[in-house]
Amino acid sequence: MSIIIPAYNYEMWIEDAIRSAIQQEYDHVEVIVVDDGSTDQTGVLADRMVRGNRECLRVIHKSIGGQGSARNRGIREARGEFLLFLDADDLLVDSAVEDLLFRAKEDGADCVVGDWWSFRDDAMAEERYVSASFLFPDDPLASLIRQPPVVSAVLLRKNSRCWNQDLVVNEVFEYMFWQFSHARSISHVAQGVTKVRQQIGRASCGKGCRS
Protein backbone atom coordinates (compact mmCIF):
# COMPACT_ATOMS: atom_id res chain seq x y z
CA MET A 1 0.00 0.00 0.00
CA SER A 2 1.52 3.32 -1.11
CA ILE A 3 0.49 6.82 -0.06
CA ILE A 4 1.81 9.48 -2.43
CA ILE A 5 2.05 13.09 -1.23
CA PRO A 6 2.91 15.66 -3.93
CA ALA A 7 4.11 18.87 -2.33
CA TYR A 8 5.02 22.33 -3.54
CA ASN A 9 5.50 25.07 -0.91
CA TYR A 10 3.40 23.45 1.80
CA GLU A 11 5.70 24.10 4.75
CA MET A 12 2.77 25.05 6.97
CA TRP A 13 1.04 21.65 6.63
CA ILE A 14 3.45 19.04 5.24
CA GLU A 15 4.47 17.64 8.63
CA ASP A 16 0.85 17.09 9.69
CA ALA A 17 0.04 15.42 6.37
CA ILE A 18 3.02 13.07 6.63
CA ARG A 19 2.25 12.29 10.25
CA SER A 20 -1.33 11.34 9.39
CA ALA A 21 0.01 8.96 6.72
CA ILE A 22 2.72 7.22 8.75
CA GLN A 23 0.44 6.80 11.78
CA GLN A 24 -2.07 4.61 9.95
CA GLU A 25 -3.46 1.65 11.90
CA TYR A 26 -2.69 -0.57 8.91
CA ASP A 27 0.93 -1.66 9.24
CA HIS A 28 2.13 -2.26 5.69
CA VAL A 29 2.15 1.29 4.32
CA GLU A 30 4.88 3.15 2.45
CA VAL A 31 4.65 6.93 2.29
CA ILE A 32 6.27 8.73 -0.64
CA VAL A 33 6.61 12.51 -0.49
CA VAL A 34 7.48 14.13 -3.82
CA ASP A 35 8.89 17.61 -3.26
CA ASP A 36 8.12 19.35 -6.54
CA GLY A 37 10.85 22.01 -6.46
CA SER A 38 9.59 23.81 -3.36
CA THR A 39 11.19 27.18 -2.62
CA ASP A 40 10.21 27.17 1.05
CA GLN A 41 11.06 24.66 3.82
CA THR A 42 8.75 21.88 2.58
CA GLY A 43 11.57 19.59 1.47
CA VAL A 44 13.67 20.26 4.56
CA LEU A 45 10.79 19.46 6.91
CA ALA A 46 9.93 16.29 5.00
CA ASP A 47 13.57 15.13 5.09
CA ARG A 48 13.66 15.74 8.82
CA MET A 49 10.72 13.38 9.33
CA VAL A 50 12.53 10.57 7.50
CA ARG A 51 15.08 10.25 10.31
CA GLY A 52 12.73 8.43 12.64
CA ASN A 53 10.64 6.75 9.97
CA ARG A 54 13.08 5.29 7.44
CA GLU A 55 11.21 2.00 7.26
CA CYS A 56 8.04 3.60 5.86
CA LEU A 57 8.85 7.11 4.57
CA ARG A 58 10.76 8.26 1.49
CA VAL A 59 11.22 11.81 0.22
CA ILE A 60 12.00 12.48 -3.43
CA HIS A 61 13.19 15.89 -4.59
CA LYS A 62 12.63 16.97 -8.19
CA SER A 63 12.52 20.15 -10.24
CA ILE A 64 9.15 21.84 -10.48
CA GLY A 65 6.80 20.18 -12.92
CA GLY A 66 3.32 20.55 -11.47
CA GLN A 67 1.14 18.29 -9.38
CA GLY A 68 0.55 15.78 -12.17
CA SER A 69 4.29 15.39 -12.67
CA ALA A 70 4.83 14.90 -8.93
CA ARG A 71 2.06 12.31 -8.69
CA ASN A 72 3.47 10.44 -11.68
CA ARG A 73 6.90 10.32 -10.07
CA GLY A 74 5.25 8.88 -6.98
CA ILE A 75 3.50 6.23 -9.07
CA ARG A 76 6.80 5.18 -10.63
CA GLU A 77 8.41 4.86 -7.20
CA ALA A 78 5.48 3.09 -5.51
CA ARG A 79 5.84 -0.56 -4.55
CA GLY A 80 2.32 -1.10 -3.25
CA GLU A 81 -0.57 -2.89 -4.96
CA PHE A 82 -2.85 0.02 -4.09
CA LEU A 83 -2.32 3.80 -4.25
CA LEU A 84 -3.75 6.77 -2.40
CA PHE A 85 -2.87 10.36 -3.34
CA LEU A 86 -2.86 12.61 -0.28
CA ASP A 87 -2.79 16.36 -0.86
CA ALA A 88 -0.06 17.93 1.25
CA ASP A 89 -2.49 20.03 3.28
CA ASP A 90 -4.99 17.22 3.96
CA LEU A 91 -5.11 14.70 6.80
CA LEU A 92 -5.94 11.01 6.77
CA VAL A 93 -7.88 9.61 9.70
CA ASP A 94 -6.01 6.81 11.49
CA SER A 95 -8.17 4.00 10.10
CA ALA A 96 -8.39 5.32 6.52
CA VAL A 97 -6.11 2.80 4.80
CA GLU A 98 -7.43 -0.14 6.80
CA ASP A 99 -11.06 0.74 6.03
CA LEU A 100 -10.46 1.37 2.31
CA LEU A 101 -8.30 -1.73 1.82
CA PHE A 102 -10.77 -3.96 3.64
CA ARG A 103 -13.54 -2.88 1.28
CA ALA A 104 -11.28 -3.28 -1.78
CA LYS A 105 -10.34 -6.83 -0.84
CA GLU A 106 -13.83 -7.79 0.35
CA ASP A 107 -15.43 -6.62 -2.91
CA GLY A 108 -12.53 -7.26 -5.28
CA ALA A 109 -12.75 -3.56 -6.18
CA ASP A 110 -10.20 -1.63 -8.20
CA CYS A 111 -11.45 1.68 -6.80
CA VAL A 112 -12.83 2.52 -3.36
CA VAL A 113 -14.20 5.96 -2.44
CA GLY A 114 -14.62 7.08 1.15
CA ASP A 115 -16.47 10.00 2.71
CA TRP A 116 -14.58 13.06 3.95
CA TRP A 117 -14.70 16.13 6.14
CA SER A 118 -14.15 19.61 4.74
CA PHE A 119 -12.58 22.16 7.08
CA ARG A 120 -10.83 25.53 7.21
CA ASP A 121 -8.12 26.87 9.50
CA ASP A 122 -10.66 29.16 11.08
CA ALA A 123 -11.73 28.73 14.68
CA MET A 124 -15.23 29.93 13.76
CA ALA A 125 -15.68 27.51 10.86
CA GLU A 126 -17.22 24.10 11.53
CA GLU A 127 -16.15 20.89 9.81
CA ARG A 128 -18.57 19.78 7.11
CA TYR A 129 -19.13 16.07 6.48
CA VAL A 130 -19.40 15.06 2.83
CA SER A 131 -20.76 11.64 1.90
CA ALA A 132 -19.49 10.08 -1.31
CA SER A 133 -22.80 8.22 -1.58
CA PHE A 134 -23.78 10.74 -4.28
CA LEU A 135 -21.59 8.65 -6.62
CA PHE A 136 -23.45 5.41 -6.07
CA PRO A 137 -27.26 5.72 -6.36
CA ASP A 138 -27.09 4.62 -9.99
CA ASP A 139 -24.02 4.85 -12.23
CA PRO A 140 -20.80 6.01 -10.52
CA LEU A 141 -19.35 7.11 -13.85
CA ALA A 142 -22.32 9.34 -14.59
CA SER A 143 -22.19 10.73 -11.05
CA LEU A 144 -18.48 11.46 -11.46
CA ILE A 145 -19.31 13.81 -14.33
CA ARG A 146 -21.47 15.87 -11.97
CA GLN A 147 -18.84 16.07 -9.22
CA PRO A 148 -15.54 14.21 -8.78
CA PRO A 149 -14.56 13.06 -5.29
CA VAL A 150 -11.50 14.55 -3.63
CA VAL A 151 -8.36 12.58 -4.46
CA SER A 152 -7.42 12.08 -0.80
CA ALA A 153 -10.53 9.94 -0.30
CA VAL A 154 -9.94 7.51 -3.18
CA LEU A 155 -8.04 4.22 -3.07
CA LEU A 156 -6.92 2.82 -6.44
CA ARG A 157 -5.44 -0.46 -7.51
CA LYS A 158 -2.12 0.41 -9.17
CA ASN A 159 -2.19 0.29 -12.97
CA SER A 160 -0.36 1.79 -15.93
CA ARG A 161 -2.39 5.01 -16.07
CA CYS A 162 -0.51 8.27 -15.39
CA TRP A 163 -1.77 11.79 -14.69
CA ASN A 164 -1.98 14.10 -17.67
CA GLN A 165 0.81 16.59 -16.98
CA ASP A 166 -0.37 18.97 -19.70
CA LEU A 167 -3.66 19.78 -17.97
CA VAL A 168 -3.79 22.78 -15.64
CA VAL A 169 -7.48 22.35 -14.76
CA ASN A 170 -9.72 19.29 -14.53
CA GLU A 171 -6.78 16.92 -14.21
CA VAL A 172 -8.53 15.14 -11.33
CA PHE A 173 -11.68 14.63 -13.39
CA GLU A 174 -9.69 13.32 -16.36
CA TYR A 175 -7.70 10.88 -14.23
CA MET A 176 -10.66 9.68 -12.16
CA PHE A 177 -12.86 9.31 -15.23
CA TRP A 178 -10.31 6.89 -16.70
CA GLN A 179 -9.98 5.00 -13.43
CA PHE A 180 -13.74 4.70 -12.92
CA SER A 181 -14.41 3.68 -16.52
CA HIS A 182 -11.72 0.96 -16.46
CA ALA A 183 -12.36 -0.40 -12.96
CA ARG A 184 -13.83 -3.87 -12.71
CA SER A 185 -15.83 -2.64 -9.74
CA ILE A 186 -16.08 0.49 -7.59
CA SER A 187 -16.98 0.43 -3.89
CA HIS A 188 -17.90 2.94 -1.23
CA VAL A 189 -16.82 3.21 2.41
CA ALA A 190 -19.60 5.03 4.22
CA GLN A 191 -17.39 6.77 6.76
CA GLY A 192 -14.94 9.62 6.75
CA VAL A 193 -11.42 8.68 5.70
CA THR A 194 -9.79 12.08 5.22
CA LYS A 195 -10.02 15.69 6.31
CA VAL A 196 -9.80 18.11 3.40
CA ARG A 197 -8.49 21.60 4.07
CA GLN A 198 -10.23 24.38 2.14
CA GLN A 199 -7.85 27.27 1.62
CA ILE A 200 -9.28 30.69 0.89
CA GLY A 201 -7.40 32.31 -1.95
CA ARG A 202 -5.72 29.14 -3.19
CA ALA A 203 -7.05 27.81 -6.48
CA SER A 204 -9.13 24.68 -6.20
CA CYS A 205 -11.63 22.70 -8.23
CA GLY A 206 -13.47 20.39 -5.89
CA LYS A 207 -10.28 20.68 -3.78
CA GLY A 208 -8.68 17.81 -5.66
CA CYS A 209 -8.03 19.81 -8.84
CA ARG A 210 -5.31 22.07 -7.47
CA SER A 211 -2.17 22.51 -9.52
Side-chain angles (χ1 to χ4, degrees), residues 113 115 131-147 180 186-188 190:
V113 185
D115 299 344
S131 172
S133 60
F134 66 84
L135 288 166
F136 297 93
D138 42 8
D139 179 2
L141 195 59
S143 299
L144 177 68
I145 295 173
R146 292 193 291 271
Q147 179 184 341
F180 275 44
I186 304 168
S187 294
H188 174 219

mmCIF file of all heavy atoms in Angstrom, residues 113 115 131-147 180 186-188 190:
data_model
loop_
_atom_site.group_PDB
_atom_site.id
_atom_site.type_symbol
_atom_site.label_atom_id
_atom_site.label_comp_id
_atom_site.label_asym_id
_atom_site.label_seq_id
_atom_site.Cartn_x
_atom_site.Cartn_y
_atom_site.Cartn_z
ATOM 1 N N VAL A 113 -14.038 4.546 -2.788
ATOM 2 C CA VAL A 113 -14.201 5.956 -2.438
ATOM 3 C C VAL A 113 -14.773 6.061 -1.036
ATOM 4 O O VAL A 113 -15.773 5.416 -0.714
ATOM 5 C CB VAL A 113 -15.143 6.674 -3.429
ATOM 6 C CG1 VAL A 113 -15.206 8.168 -3.108
ATOM 7 C CG2 VAL A 113 -14.687 6.443 -4.864
ATOM 8 N N ASP A 115 -15.931 8.679 2.399
ATOM 9 C CA ASP A 115 -16.469 10.003 2.709
ATOM 10 C C ASP A 115 -15.338 10.880 3.257
ATOM 11 O O ASP A 115 -14.236 10.402 3.538
ATOM 12 C CB ASP A 115 -17.584 9.890 3.747
ATOM 13 C CG ASP A 115 -18.757 9.047 3.256
ATOM 14 O OD1 ASP A 115 -18.852 8.797 2.036
ATOM 15 O OD2 ASP A 115 -19.566 8.620 4.105
ATOM 16 N N SER A 131 -20.611 13.057 2.227
ATOM 17 C CA SER A 131 -20.759 11.643 1.903
ATOM 18 C C SER A 131 -20.532 11.418 0.415
ATOM 19 O O SER A 131 -21.078 12.146 -0.418
ATOM 20 C CB SER A 131 -22.155 11.147 2.290
ATOM 21 O OG SER A 131 -22.357 9.833 1.802
ATOM 22 N N ALA A 132 -19.723 10.425 0.094
ATOM 23 C CA ALA A 132 -19.493 10.076 -1.309
ATOM 24 C C ALA A 132 -20.607 9.212 -1.870
ATOM 25 O O ALA A 132 -20.515 8.732 -3.004
ATOM 26 C CB ALA A 132 -18.156 9.352 -1.457
ATOM 27 N N SER A 133 -21.677 9.040 -1.104
ATOM 28 C CA SER A 133 -22.798 8.218 -1.575
ATOM 29 C C SER A 133 -23.445 8.812 -2.819
ATOM 30 O O SER A 133 -24.139 8.111 -3.553
ATOM 31 C CB SER A 133 -23.846 8.053 -0.471
ATOM 32 O OG SER A 133 -24.356 9.313 -0.072
ATOM 33 N N PHE A 134 -23.207 10.119 -3.082
ATOM 34 C CA PHE A 134 -23.780 10.736 -4.284
ATOM 35 C C PHE A 134 -23.266 10.055 -5.555
ATOM 36 O O PHE A 134 -23.870 10.160 -6.623
ATOM 37 C CB PHE A 134 -23.447 12.232 -4.337
ATOM 38 C CG PHE A 134 -21.984 12.561 -4.512
ATOM 39 C CD1 PHE A 134 -21.397 12.583 -5.772
ATOM 40 C CD2 PHE A 134 -21.189 12.846 -3.411
ATOM 41 C CE1 PHE A 134 -20.049 12.890 -5.929
ATOM 42 C CE2 PHE A 134 -19.842 13.157 -3.567
ATOM 43 C CZ PHE A 134 -19.272 13.172 -4.820
ATOM 44 N N LEU A 135 -22.138 9.327 -5.448
ATOM 45 C CA LEU A 135 -21.592 8.646 -6.620
ATOM 46 C C LEU A 135 -22.297 7.332 -6.921
ATOM 47 O O LEU A 135 -22.157 6.789 -8.015
ATOM 48 C CB LEU A 135 -20.106 8.348 -6.401
ATOM 49 C CG LEU A 135 -19.133 9.530 -6.452
ATOM 50 C CD1 LEU A 135 -17.788 9.124 -5.878
ATOM 51 C CD2 LEU A 135 -18.977 10.022 -7.880
ATOM 52 N N PHE A 136 -23.041 6.809 -5.955
ATOM 53 C CA PHE A 136 -23.449 5.413 -6.066
ATOM 54 C C PHE A 136 -24.944 5.112 -6.181
ATOM 55 O O PHE A 136 -25.305 3.939 -6.248
ATOM 56 C CB PHE A 136 -22.870 4.633 -4.876
ATOM 57 C CG PHE A 136 -21.366 4.621 -4.886
ATOM 58 C CD1 PHE A 136 -20.651 5.579 -4.191
ATOM 59 C CD2 PHE A 136 -20.676 3.681 -5.616
ATOM 60 C CE1 PHE A 136 -19.263 5.589 -4.220
ATOM 61 C CE2 PHE A 136 -19.289 3.681 -5.658
ATOM 62 C CZ PHE A 136 -18.589 4.632 -4.953
ATOM 63 N N PRO A 137 -25.850 6.085 -6.227
ATOM 64 C CA PRO A 137 -27.258 5.721 -6.364
ATOM 65 C C PRO A 137 -27.538 4.956 -7.658
ATOM 66 O O PRO A 137 -28.396 4.076 -7.694
ATOM 67 C CB PRO A 137 -27.985 7.067 -6.364
ATOM 68 C CG PRO A 137 -27.027 8.019 -5.744
ATOM 69 C CD PRO A 137 -25.668 7.531 -6.110
ATOM 70 N N ASP A 138 -26.855 5.304 -8.718
ATOM 71 C CA ASP A 138 -27.090 4.623 -9.990
ATOM 72 C C ASP A 138 -25.761 4.251 -10.636
ATOM 73 O O ASP A 138 -25.163 3.231 -10.349
ATOM 74 C CB ASP A 138 -27.943 5.498 -10.912
ATOM 75 C CG ASP A 138 -27.513 6.976 -10.876
ATOM 76 O OD1 ASP A 138 -26.476 7.313 -10.280
ATOM 77 O OD2 ASP A 138 -28.206 7.775 -11.477
ATOM 78 N N ASP A 139 -25.252 5.120 -11.488
ATOM 79 C CA ASP A 139 -24.025 4.851 -12.235
ATOM 80 C C ASP A 139 -22.906 5.743 -11.711
ATOM 81 O O ASP A 139 -22.952 6.963 -11.892
ATOM 82 C CB ASP A 139 -24.275 5.123 -13.726
ATOM 83 C CG ASP A 139 -23.036 4.893 -14.573
ATOM 84 O OD1 ASP A 139 -21.997 4.495 -14.018
ATOM 85 O OD2 ASP A 139 -23.113 5.115 -15.788
ATOM 86 N N PRO A 140 -21.875 5.173 -11.057
ATOM 87 C CA PRO A 140 -20.798 6.009 -10.517
ATOM 88 C C PRO A 140 -20.118 6.864 -11.578
ATOM 89 O O PRO A 140 -19.694 7.984 -11.293
ATOM 90 C CB PRO A 140 -19.820 4.978 -9.926
ATOM 91 C CG PRO A 140 -20.643 3.782 -9.645
ATOM 92 C CD PRO A 140 -21.706 3.760 -10.718
ATOM 93 N N LEU A 141 -20.012 6.351 -12.795
ATOM 94 C CA LEU A 141 -19.351 7.112 -13.846
ATOM 95 C C LEU A 141 -20.162 8.348 -14.215
ATOM 96 O O LEU A 141 -19.614 9.438 -14.396
ATOM 97 C CB LEU A 141 -19.137 6.232 -15.082
ATOM 98 C CG LEU A 141 -18.153 6.750 -16.129
ATOM 99 C CD1 LEU A 141 -16.775 6.950 -15.516
ATOM 100 C CD2 LEU A 141 -18.083 5.785 -17.303
ATOM 101 N N ALA A 142 -21.470 8.189 -14.300
ATOM 102 C CA ALA A 142 -22.324 9.339 -14.591
ATOM 103 C C ALA A 142 -22.283 10.342 -13.443
ATOM 104 O O ALA A 142 -22.270 11.558 -13.659
ATOM 105 C CB ALA A 142 -23.753 8.875 -14.841
ATOM 106 N N SER A 143 -22.252 9.841 -12.209
ATOM 107 C CA SER A 143 -22.190 10.732 -11.052
ATOM 108 C C SER A 143 -20.873 11.484 -11.000
ATOM 109 O O SER A 143 -20.814 12.640 -10.587
ATOM 110 C CB SER A 143 -22.375 9.922 -9.764
ATOM 111 O OG SER A 143 -23.631 9.275 -9.751
ATOM 112 N N LEU A 144 -19.801 10.825 -11.441
ATOM 113 C CA LEU A 144 -18.481 11.457 -11.460
ATOM 114 C C LEU A 144 -18.482 12.702 -12.338
ATOM 115 O O LEU A 144 -17.813 13.689 -12.037
ATOM 116 C CB LEU A 144 -17.443 10.458 -11.959
ATOM 117 C CG LEU A 144 -16.002 10.976 -12.119
ATOM 118 C CD1 LEU A 144 -15.392 11.277 -10.760
ATOM 119 C CD2 LEU A 144 -15.150 9.952 -12.861
ATOM 120 N N ILE A 145 -19.238 12.667 -13.419
ATOM 121 C CA ILE A 145 -19.313 13.812 -14.327
ATOM 122 C C ILE A 145 -19.901 15.027 -13.617
ATOM 123 O O ILE A 145 -19.491 16.159 -13.852
ATOM 124 C CB ILE A 145 -20.133 13.457 -15.579
ATOM 125 C CG1 ILE A 145 -19.404 12.360 -16.375
ATOM 126 C CG2 ILE A 145 -20.371 14.679 -16.456
ATOM 127 C CD1 ILE A 145 -20.199 11.819 -17.533
ATOM 128 N N ARG A 146 -20.841 14.774 -12.703
ATOM 129 C CA ARG A 146 -21.465 15.875 -11.974
ATOM 130 C C ARG A 146 -20.513 16.459 -10.936
ATOM 131 O O ARG A 146 -20.435 17.663 -10.755
ATOM 132 C CB ARG A 146 -22.760 15.400 -11.312
ATOM 133 C CG ARG A 146 -23.860 15.054 -12.301
ATOM 134 C CD ARG A 146 -25.191 14.888 -11.608
ATOM 135 N NE ARG A 146 -25.246 13.713 -10.755
ATOM 136 C CZ ARG A 146 -25.624 12.507 -11.165
ATOM 137 N NH1 ARG A 146 -25.967 12.318 -12.443
ATOM 138 N NH2 ARG A 146 -25.663 11.487 -10.333
ATOM 139 N N GLN A 147 -19.787 15.588 -10.237
ATOM 140 C CA GLN A 147 -18.835 16.072 -9.219
ATOM 141 C C GLN A 147 -17.828 14.972 -8.898
ATOM 142 O O GLN A 147 -18.207 13.909 -8.416
ATOM 143 C CB GLN A 147 -19.544 16.478 -7.925
ATOM 144 C CG GLN A 147 -18.566 16.958 -6.861
ATOM 145 C CD GLN A 147 -19.246 17.279 -5.547
ATOM 146 O OE1 GLN A 147 -20.460 17.481 -5.510
ATOM 147 N NE2 GLN A 147 -18.481 17.325 -4.479
ATOM 148 N N PHE A 180 -12.388 5.212 -13.135
ATOM 149 C CA PHE A 180 -13.740 4.705 -12.922
ATOM 150 C C PHE A 180 -14.209 3.881 -14.122
ATOM 151 O O PHE A 180 -14.844 2.847 -13.968
ATOM 152 C CB PHE A 180 -14.713 5.859 -12.678
ATOM 153 C CG PHE A 180 -14.784 6.318 -11.246
ATOM 154 C CD1 PHE A 180 -13.630 6.481 -10.489
ATOM 155 C CD2 PHE A 180 -16.004 6.612 -10.663
ATOM 156 C CE1 PHE A 180 -13.686 6.909 -9.174
ATOM 157 C CE2 PHE A 180 -16.084 7.042 -9.346
ATOM 158 C CZ PHE A 180 -14.918 7.189 -8.596
ATOM 159 N N ILE A 186 -16.341 -0.698 -8.408
ATOM 160 C CA ILE A 186 -16.084 0.490 -7.590
ATOM 161 C C ILE A 186 -16.904 0.359 -6.312
ATOM 162 O O ILE A 186 -18.101 0.040 -6.376
ATOM 163 C CB ILE A 186 -16.486 1.776 -8.328
ATOM 164 C CG1 ILE A 186 -15.768 1.861 -9.683
ATOM 165 C CG2 ILE A 186 -16.183 3.003 -7.483
ATOM 166 C CD1 ILE A 186 -16.319 2.937 -10.592
ATOM 167 N N SER A 187 -16.282 0.579 -5.168
ATOM 168 C CA SER A 187 -16.980 0.430 -3.895
ATOM 169 C C SER A 187 -16.923 1.719 -3.088
ATOM 170 O O SER A 187 -16.133 2.619 -3.382
ATOM 171 C CB SER A 187 -16.368 -0.717 -3.075
ATOM 172 O OG SER A 187 -16.572 -1.962 -3.708
ATOM 173 N N HIS A 188 -17.762 1.749 -2.064
ATOM 174 C CA HIS A 188 -17.905 2.943 -1.230
ATOM 175 C C HIS A 188 -17.733 2.561 0.234
ATOM 176 O O HIS A 188 -18.307 1.579 0.702
ATOM 177 C CB HIS A 188 -19.298 3.552 -1.455
ATOM 178 C CG HIS A 188 -19.601 4.702 -0.549
ATOM 179 N ND1 HIS A 188 -20.848 4.903 0.013
ATOM 180 C CD2 HIS A 188 -18.831 5.720 -0.085
ATOM 181 C CE1 HIS A 188 -20.826 5.994 0.762
ATOM 182 N NE2 HIS A 188 -19.626 6.499 0.726
ATOM 183 N N ALA A 190 -18.678 4.019 3.708
ATOM 184 C CA ALA A 190 -19.603 5.032 4.216
ATOM 185 C C ALA A 190 -19.140 5.592 5.559
ATOM 186 O O ALA A 190 -19.875 5.578 6.545
ATOM 187 C CB ALA A 190 -21.009 4.454 4.322
#
